[in-house]
Amino acid sequence: MHRRGFLIGCAAVAGSLEGSAMAKALGEAADAGPAGSARAWQRALLVGQDGRPLLASTLEQRRTLLFHYPFVGTPAFLLDLGRATRRRVALKADDGEAYVWSGGVGPEQSVVAFSAICAHKLTYPTKDISFISFRAEPSPVSKRGDVIHCCSEHSQYDPADGARVLAGPATQPLAAILLEHERDSDHLYAVGTQGGELFDDFFARFGMKLALEHGGRERQAVSERCVVQPIEQYCRQLMRCA
Ligand code: FES
């Protein structure tokens, strides 16, 4: 049901965002093959907890920031990796869908966003605890730094490479959240998703828990603004598994 909504929305929004992240992603997804995936959702301005728009050039680098997109109940990471990411990364989802992730946005092309729902067994950050987060430094359980690490079974993803799987049992990248950077204002917008999003499975598995956590609004599409905050402020406990 959700997937259908994405595709319909995609056509409508892509026409109005020429030159944008969505139009770019759609073009590159098409290059990847007929099954390439990019799905438009609400164009949402990313704001801080004070309600002011985030500025891409002043994000704290290599820190896990959290917001919810494209639904009120679906968590996502926002990261400034501090260096330009790879560009035009060819990836494949578990359903065989090929797609091309454009790369980071912002002045240094270093700002990325990915679903925070682990592609293995859907571990995700709750208000109580998170087993999944960005790890800037290497640790006994991850040989390198700058990875998104899930402590559940140690899946690791490379956010500079489209969240490609580096290690662990996950078999597909984290779904990408498509971002737009408005150069004049330095503002950031979330505009869509790309890759193997697992939202239907996520709602099916955690429906009751999510309803409690989000007051029954978990399946609502986000509004025109998404509040972004450090993961430590959203989650009472952050598991490091090392
Ligand atoms: S749920 Fe993340 S590694 Fe298993």
Side-chain angles (χ1 to χ4, degrees):
M1 183 174 68
H2 296 127
R3 190 170 189 81
R4 194 170 183 185
F6 289 164
L7 295 169
I8 292 167
C10 197
V13 177
S16 64
L17 294 177
E18 196 174 350
S20 70
M22 176 55 69
K24 204 169 161 190
L26 285 171
E28 292 182 349
D31 289 347
S37 61
R39 293 168 286 276
W41 278 95
Q42 172 71 44
R43 184 175 189 251
L45 177 67
L46 302 187
V47 302
Q49 290 169 285
D50 59 2
R52 292 186 190 166
L54 294 184
L55 301 180
S57 58
T58 62
L59 289 180
E60 190 176 340
Q61 295 181 350
R62 302 171 79 208
R63 182 172 191 187
T64 312
L65 302 175
L66 193 78
F67 65 110
H68 287 78
Y69 188 87
F71 299 100
V72 169
T74 48
F77 295 129
L78 177 72
L79 304 166
D80 183 345
L81 299 173
R83 61 187 166 87
T85 68
R86 296 190 181 87
R87 316 299 301 169
R88 292 182 53 78
V89 177
L91 298 166
K92 193 178 274 192
D94 278 350
D95 63 2
E97 199 170 50
Y99 62 101
V100 176
W101 179 71
S102 297
V105 303
E108 308 298 330
Q109 300 187 324
S110 59
V111 181
V112 300
F114 296 99
S115 171
I117 301 167
C118 183
H120 178 223
K121 290 185 183 170
L122 310 182
T123 286
Y124 70 102
T126 72
K127 287 181 181 172
D128 288 325
I129 194 164
S130 182
F131 289 85
I132 182 169
S133 64
F134 175 75
R135 310 282 288 268
E137 305 302 330
S139 74
V141 290
S142 66
K143 290 182 189 140
R144 50 162 282 191
D146 294 322
V147 298
I148 295 172
H149 188 123
C150 177
C151 289
S152 293
E153 286 90 11
H154 301 300
S155 287
Q156 294 170 47
Y157 307 89
D158 185 350
D161 198 22
R164 188 190 299 280
V165 178
L166 291 170
T171 53
Q172 68 174 359
L174 297 174
I177 307 297
L178 297 173
L179 297 174
E180 272 182 33
H181 176 240
E182 205 169 61
R183 200 177 308 171
D184 292 347
S185 64
D186 203 24
H187 294 171
L188 290 162
Y189 295 83
V191 298
T193 60
Q194 187 180 32
E197 41 84 351
L198 298 166
F199 303 134
D200 287 340
D201 293 346
F202 181 65
F203 287 130
R205 185 173 304 180
F206 300 113
M208 198 168 290
K209 197 171 164 191
L210 291 166
L212 286 172
E213 190 150 355
H214 298 283
R217 297 174 57 242
E218 68 281 1
R219 293 175 194 242
Q220 283 181 20
V222 299
S223 65
E224 293 172 359
R225 288 176 166 238
C226 287
V227 175
V228 180
Q229 60 189 314
I231 193 169
E232 300 86 352
Q233 290 177 19
Y234 182 79
C235 304
R236 279 185 275 276
Q237 196 179 355
L238 190 57
M239 295 303 292
R240 290 288 182 185
C241 58

